[in-house]
Amino acid sequence: MASGVNSDYDSGENSASDSSDQAEKVKTKILSVWNNMKYGWAIKSRTNFSYETPIWLLGECYHHRPDDPPESEQSAEEGHLTPMEMFKRDFFSRIWLTYRREFPQLAGSSLTTDCGWGCMLRSGQMMLAQSFINHFLGRDWCSYDPQTPQQVEYHRQIIKWFGDQPSEQSPFSVHKLVSLGYQAGKKAGDWYGPASVAYLLKKAMDIAPGYDPLLSQLCVYIAPDCTVYKQDVINLCRGSQRADVTDTRGSQQWCSVIILVPVRLGGEELNPVYIPCLKSLFTLQHCIGIIGGKPKHSLYFIGFQEDKLVNLDPHLCQDVVDMTHKDFPTTSFHCMSPRKMSFKHMDPSCTIGFYCKTHDDFKQFCKYTEEILDSTKHAGDYPMFVFSEGCSHENELPMSQRNKPDRLLRVRHFDADGRPKSRTEEFVFL
């Protein structure tokens, strides 16, 4: 009799659990439908691009020159691509990571979607994915071109590294990033800022070779206090056990590096003096974009045309993709709809990313970027960030001087409840 009672009880408990799961699924679907309507994904919309002005996309320029035949005539020529068509192909080839629904529960919560809160994590994932594209496939890689077996394998592998599953096959999944966020006092469902995401990406990259040896070829450097310390980068890339690429002298190994620079470019709004500098950074081959957006609305910026930023928007909520199958579909990881946003709407808090494959790349990056930043200095304003020849520890104040008045203006940011934000969200006020 007792077993019969327990059986009935277990059956009732399972039924209640099933009902709860079903209710959660319905709730998730309603949330995703509302989200997709809110952010303009429910109805297909078209962003207008001018044929007369250049479009810059991560170091590549697409421009219809005055002496070129009209776009309609070029399109009719067999085998000839117009600048606009080449731009669209390049844009489509970037990896697009968006909200997903009905993935395995995030640890410590009942959440099975990141819809409504995970947009900054997705923007960070996209920037990291772009660095992997540059490293393993090259900046010129285009998904429209005929693919070698190796290119197909790398493309799928990069996407799988970001799969929405708590698996060692996906060391940069939302599940993994959220678990690393717990160490910084964050929990599933919390919103992240661009600086905190930069530190999460570094933590994830530091441990990633334990999951996939391929990832030992790259490392992440975060510029402290808006300063890229050149010797720190060199020490990281040469002293790392991960070093893989032999530099031009052939005597030392060099670990390819992703350089992340968290900055704040104004007070409540973007200071317009930095717009020309932002545009110039997008013309560099080393640039892998900017994670930022509008307040509480993250976007991944990858280029510009005139006074508008070209971006990949993570706010479309899609079904999770099962990556346990070798030939999982990849179409939903590429976007056919480029979007633009005015520079003046950009939140001043952002993280700028760069990728340097070799030591020579790093030296070129420093040279070209310092020239861009110097143009801001000439205008009489603070640069977005700076370079220093030495190491960060060489610039620390002696203990005897640490209590003296600071000659720099420091700003402490507070959240909506008046509490000081964490150190990772503090910036030198520019």
Side-chain angles (χ1 to χ4, degrees), residues 132-430:
F132 296 156
I133 289 287
N134 285 8
H135 184 80
F136 294 106
L137 293 169
R139 174 61 187 89
D140 294 334
W141 176 79
C142 178
S143 60
Y144 281 84
D145 295 337
Q147 304 290 301
T148 66
Q150 185 183 48
Q151 287 175 322
V152 171
E153 183 64 26
Y154 272 136
H155 177 226
R156 286 188 173 277
Q157 182 59 72
I158 291 169
I159 292 174
K160 186 180 290 186
W161 282 332
F162 298 92
D164 296 298
Q165 53 191 1
S167 165
E168 293 185 355
Q169 293 182 335
S170 301
F172 308 107
S173 65
V174 166
H175 295 74
K176 187 62 180 179
L177 296 180
V178 166
S179 70
L180 292 173
Y182 275 116
Q183 300 170 20
K186 294 280 192 178
K187 61 181 184 297
D190 284 351
W191 199 85
Y192 291 77
S196 56
V197 167
Y199 282 91
L200 281 183
L201 296 179
K202 176 170 173 55
K203 285 182 181 179
M205 181 59 79
D206 286 346
I207 61 176
Y211 303 119
D212 192 326
L214 271 177
L215 294 167
S216 65
Q217 298 178 21
L218 298 101
C219 59
V220 172
Y221 170 82
I222 298 180
D225 299 322
C226 305
T227 305
V228 177
Y229 291 95
K230 295 181 184 179
Q231 194 58 50
D232 280 348
V233 177
I234 292 170
N235 292 345
L236 173 66
C237 296
R238 285 205 177 133
S240 175
Q241 296 296 318
R242 306 152 70 104
D244 177 78
V245 180
T246 304
D247 70 16
T248 52
R249 286 169 291 182
S251 59
Q252 288 182 292
Q253 296 292 307
W254 177 270
C255 182
S256 300
V257 62
I258 300 160
I259 298 172
L260 303 179
V261 188
V263 296
R264 188 171 182 90
L265 307 176
E268 294 299 316
E269 298 177 351
L270 176 72
N271 187 334
V273 74
Y274 296 110
I275 293 177
C277 190
L278 288 168
K279 289 181 177 181
S280 295
L281 292 177
F282 280 120
T283 68
L284 297 177
Q285 286 281 338
H286 304 93
C287 183
I288 54 173
I290 299 174
I291 54 176
K294 297 183 287 188
K296 297 297 181 181
H297 179 107
S298 179
L299 299 167
Y300 172 43
F301 298 121
I302 56 176
F304 73 95
Q305 184 180 47
E306 300 179 297
D307 63 345
K308 300 289 181 66
L309 286 151
V310 179
N311 65 78
L312 280 164
D313 187 344
H315 290 88
L316 173 65
C317 191
Q318 305 185 84
D319 289 327
V320 69
V321 173
D322 182 1
M323 296 187 183
T324 58
H325 303 291
K326 182 179 179 181
D327 296 324
F328 62 87
T330 61
T331 306
S332 66
F333 296 97
H334 295 278
C335 181
M336 294 292 292
S337 305
R339 290 189 167 192
K340 293 196 293 185
M341 186 195 83
S342 173
F343 273 98
K344 67 181 182 181
H345 294 148
M346 180 180 174
D347 191 290
S349 182
C350 61
T351 291
I352 309 169
F354 305 95
Y355 164 78
C356 301
K357 189 177 184 71
T358 65
H359 188 205
D360 281 347
D361 269 350
F362 176 64
K363 288 189 287 188
Q364 287 183 346
F365 158 69
C366 294
K367 177 179 180 293
Y368 297 146
T369 307
E370 283 184 286
E371 290 174 359
I372 291 171
L373 298 173
D374 281 346
S375 65
T376 308
K377 281 195 236 177
H378 295 158
D381 291 284
Y382 292 106
M384 293 169 60
F385 57 96
V386 296
F387 288 82
S388 174
E389 294 294 334
C391 299
S392 56
H393 66 79
E394 295 173 356
N395 292 273
E396 291 179 356
L397 289 173
M399 288 299 295
S400 60
Q401 297 182 28
R402 291 187 183 179
N403 294 324
K404 290 186 177 181
D406 204 339
R407 294 167 62 186
L408 295 174
L409 174 64
R410 296 185 182 276
V411 174
R412 189 146 200 203
H413 299 281
F414 296 83
D415 62 21
D417 298 320
R419 295 188 296 262
K421 292 185 178 180
S422 64
R423 290 186 59 83
T424 57
E425 298 290 46
E426 293 177 12
F427 300 90
V428 175
F429 186 73
L430 300 178

Side-chain angles (χ1 to χ4, degrees), residues 25-40:
K25 287 183 179 180
V26 171
K27 179 182 176 182
T28 298
K29 287 182 179 179
I30 292 173
L31 177 63
S32 64
V33 169
W34 176 85
N35 173 86
N36 292 347
M37 291 179 63
K38 177 181 177 182
Y39 293 108

